Amino acid sequence: MTQGTGHGEDGDRDRSPEEAALSDRLGNLDQRLSEFRDRRAKTEQPAGGDGDKAARASAMALGFRLSSELIAGVAVGAGIGWGFDHLLSTSPFGFIAFLLLGFIAGVVNVVRTAGAGPNRRGGS
C-alpha cells in the first residue's frame, strides 16, 4: 500500500480508490460508534443509582439463599443422624455419618444453585 506524502491534496491523490473508500468507511464507522457510545452513556446514567441498589439486593438475596441451603443440608443431615442414633443406639456414628452426608448435600445444592456445577439450567 502506498502512503500519502502528507502535503495536503498531494497526499489524497497518491491514495488508491480502495484506500479512499476504506478510509471513508472507517470514518463513518468511527462516527457511528461514538454516537452509539453517547446514547448508551445517556441511558445508563440516570438508572445508575437504582440499578446499583437492585444489583446489591439481588446479590444479597442470592447469598442468603446459598448460605441457608448449606445450613439446611447440615441441619437435616444432623437431625437424621441423631434420629438413627436414638432409635438404633449407635451413638455417635450415625450422627457423624449423616452430618457429613448433609454437608456434602448442602455443598452440592450450593454449587448447583450458583450455576457452577454440571447440572446447570439451560445447558444440554
Side-chain angles (χ1 to χ4, degrees), residues 3-15:
Q3 293 185 354
T5 58
H7 297 292
E9 291 293 320
D10 292 336
D12 290 340
R13 278 187 248 160
D14 289 343
R15 293 192 324 188

mmCIF file of all heavy atoms in Angstrom, residues 3-15:
data_model
loop_
_atom_site.group_PDB
_atom_site.id
_atom_site.type_symbol
_atom_site.label_atom_id
_atom_site.label_comp_id
_atom_site.label_asym_id
_atom_site.label_seq_id
_atom_site.Cartn_x
_atom_site.Cartn_y
_atom_site.Cartn_z
ATOM 1 N N GLN A 3 1.647 5.167 0.772
ATOM 2 C CA GLN A 3 1.283 6.145 1.768
ATOM 3 C C GLN A 3 1.351 7.520 1.147
ATOM 4 O O GLN A 3 2.159 7.790 0.261
ATOM 5 C CB GLN A 3 2.220 6.072 2.969
ATOM 6 C CG GLN A 3 2.086 4.788 3.733
ATOM 7 C CD GLN A 3 2.958 4.820 4.976
ATOM 8 O OE1 GLN A 3 3.708 5.741 5.184
ATOM 9 N NE2 GLN A 3 2.841 3.798 5.797
ATOM 10 N N GLY A 4 0.507 8.393 1.666
ATOM 11 C CA GLY A 4 0.499 9.768 1.170
ATOM 12 C C GLY A 4 1.739 10.503 1.627
ATOM 13 O O GLY A 4 2.422 10.136 2.574
ATOM 14 N N THR A 5 2.056 11.581 0.921
ATOM 15 C CA THR A 5 3.242 12.351 1.258
ATOM 16 C C THR A 5 2.982 13.321 2.378
ATOM 17 O O THR A 5 3.908 13.872 2.948
ATOM 18 C CB THR A 5 3.733 13.132 0.031
ATOM 19 O OG1 THR A 5 2.666 13.975 -0.412
ATOM 20 C CG2 THR A 5 4.175 12.191 -1.067
ATOM 21 N N GLY A 6 1.700 13.541 2.683
ATOM 22 C CA GLY A 6 1.365 14.418 3.780
ATOM 23 C C GLY A 6 1.330 15.878 3.379
ATOM 24 O O GLY A 6 1.375 16.760 4.217
ATOM 25 N N HIS A 7 1.285 16.212 2.080
ATOM 26 C CA HIS A 7 1.257 17.589 1.597
ATOM 27 C C HIS A 7 -0.127 17.978 1.117
ATOM 28 O O HIS A 7 -0.331 18.369 -0.019
ATOM 29 C CB HIS A 7 2.257 17.786 0.449
ATOM 30 C CG HIS A 7 3.672 17.563 0.864
ATOM 31 N ND1 HIS A 7 4.329 18.394 1.723
ATOM 32 C CD2 HIS A 7 4.544 16.570 0.540
ATOM 33 C CE1 HIS A 7 5.567 17.947 1.911
ATOM 34 N NE2 HIS A 7 5.708 16.829 1.206
ATOM 35 N N GLY A 8 -1.144 17.839 1.943
ATOM 36 C CA GLY A 8 -2.499 18.279 1.601
ATOM 37 C C GLY A 8 -3.091 17.463 0.491
ATOM 38 O O GLY A 8 -3.302 16.276 0.596
ATOM 39 N N GLU A 9 -3.365 18.122 -0.662
ATOM 40 C CA GLU A 9 -4.014 17.470 -1.799
ATOM 41 C C GLU A 9 -3.132 16.411 -2.423
ATOM 42 O O GLU A 9 -3.616 15.443 -2.959
ATOM 43 C CB GLU A 9 -4.394 18.528 -2.857
ATOM 44 C CG GLU A 9 -5.503 19.471 -2.426
ATOM 45 C CD GLU A 9 -6.829 18.756 -2.288
ATOM 46 O OE1 GLU A 9 -7.147 17.895 -3.128
ATOM 47 O OE2 GLU A 9 -7.554 19.056 -1.330
ATOM 48 N N ASP A 10 -1.812 16.581 -2.393
ATOM 49 C CA ASP A 10 -0.919 15.588 -2.991
ATOM 50 C C ASP A 10 -1.056 14.243 -2.292
ATOM 51 O O ASP A 10 -1.013 13.199 -2.924
ATOM 52 C CB ASP A 10 0.538 16.066 -2.907
ATOM 53 C CG ASP A 10 0.789 17.282 -3.800
ATOM 54 O OD1 ASP A 10 0.028 17.443 -4.762
ATOM 55 O OD2 ASP A 10 1.725 18.053 -3.498
ATOM 56 N N GLY A 11 -1.275 14.251 -0.956
ATOM 57 C CA GLY A 11 -1.440 13.015 -0.210
ATOM 58 C C GLY A 11 -2.714 12.298 -0.603
ATOM 59 O O GLY A 11 -2.759 11.092 -0.667
ATOM 60 N N ASP A 12 -3.795 13.037 -0.883
ATOM 61 C CA ASP A 12 -5.043 12.416 -1.305
ATOM 62 C C ASP A 12 -4.938 11.837 -2.706
ATOM 63 O O ASP A 12 -5.577 10.864 -3.030
ATOM 64 C CB ASP A 12 -6.184 13.433 -1.247
ATOM 65 C CG ASP A 12 -6.548 13.799 0.189
ATOM 66 O OD1 ASP A 12 -6.197 12.997 1.100
ATOM 67 O OD2 ASP A 12 -7.169 14.855 0.399
ATOM 68 N N ARG A 13 -4.141 12.448 -3.562
ATOM 69 C CA ARG A 13 -4.017 11.946 -4.931
ATOM 70 C C ARG A 13 -3.190 10.671 -4.988
ATOM 71 O O ARG A 13 -3.361 9.872 -5.884
ATOM 72 C CB ARG A 13 -3.368 13.010 -5.830
ATOM 73 C CG ARG A 13 -4.366 14.030 -6.299
ATOM 74 C CD ARG A 13 -3.745 14.938 -7.292
ATOM 75 N NE ARG A 13 -3.660 16.256 -6.640
ATOM 76 C CZ ARG A 13 -2.871 17.231 -6.989
ATOM 77 N NH1 ARG A 13 -2.050 17.082 -7.991
ATOM 78 N NH2 ARG A 13 -2.872 18.351 -6.360
ATOM 79 N N ASP A 14 -2.282 10.474 -4.041
ATOM 80 C CA ASP A 14 -1.436 9.288 -4.054
ATOM 81 C C ASP A 14 -2.194 8.038 -3.599
ATOM 82 O O ASP A 14 -1.774 6.928 -3.872
ATOM 83 C CB ASP A 14 -0.224 9.490 -3.142
ATOM 84 C CG ASP A 14 0.772 10.478 -3.719
ATOM 85 O OD1 ASP A 14 0.685 10.745 -4.931
ATOM 86 O OD2 ASP A 14 1.617 10.976 -2.949
ATOM 87 N N ARG A 15 -3.319 8.225 -2.925
ATOM 88 C CA ARG A 15 -4.080 7.079 -2.427
ATOM 89 C C ARG A 15 -4.877 6.444 -3.552
ATOM 90 O O ARG A 15 -5.420 7.127 -4.422
ATOM 91 C CB ARG A 15 -5.044 7.488 -1.314
ATOM 92 C CG ARG A 15 -4.335 7.917 -0.078
ATOM 93 C CD ARG A 15 -5.216 8.064 1.107
ATOM 94 N NE ARG A 15 -6.550 8.576 0.831
ATOM 95 C CZ ARG A 15 -7.414 8.911 1.755
ATOM 96 N NH1 ARG A 15 -7.085 8.808 3.028
ATOM 97 N NH2 ARG A 15 -8.604 9.344 1.448
#
